[in-house]
């Protein structure tokens, strides 16, 4: 096997891996998990705001 054959095999293998990842990423089976992961940032903001509101209520009731 010469260098050209090895390069062709390597290129085809990487392309097949790329196509497999794209199919996995866009499969309907994984959609719910990806949507949940995408919304984690917003969930953190809401919980942080709730904590701030709770702390304000606690500090005002202590006074």
């Amino acid at each position: 096997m010469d260098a050209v054959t090895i390069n062709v095999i390597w290129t085809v293998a990487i392309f097949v891996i790329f196509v497999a990842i794209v199919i996995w990423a866009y499969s309907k089976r994984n959609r719910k998990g990806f949507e949940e992961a995408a919304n984690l940032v917003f969930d953190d903001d809401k919980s942080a705001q709730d904590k701030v509101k709770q702390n304000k209520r606690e500090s005002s009731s202590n006074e």
Side-chain angles (χ1 to χ4, degrees):
M1 277 204 310
D2 58 343
V4 174
T5 306
I6 293 172
N7 285 338
V8 168
I9 293 170
W10 180 250
T11 302
V12 170
I14 295 297
F15 181 72
V16 169
I17 291 170
F18 172 77
V19 170
I21 291 171
V22 169
I23 291 170
W24 170 78
Y26 286 101
S27 69
K28 291 183 181 183
R29 195 171 37 147
N30 294 326
R31 175 178 237 145
K32 184 179 178 184
F34 288 141
E35 286 177 355
E36 288 176 4
N39 290 323
L40 282 176
V41 175
F42 302 117
D43 291 341
D44 288 344
D45 288 342
K46 289 179 184 176
S47 65
Q49 289 174 356
D50 291 341
K51 287 179 184 178
V52 169
K53 288 179 184 177
Q54 184 179 10
N55 287 339
K56 285 183 181 179
R57 279 189 242 141
E58 288 176 358
S59 63
S60 64
S61 64
N62 289 339
E63 293 176 0

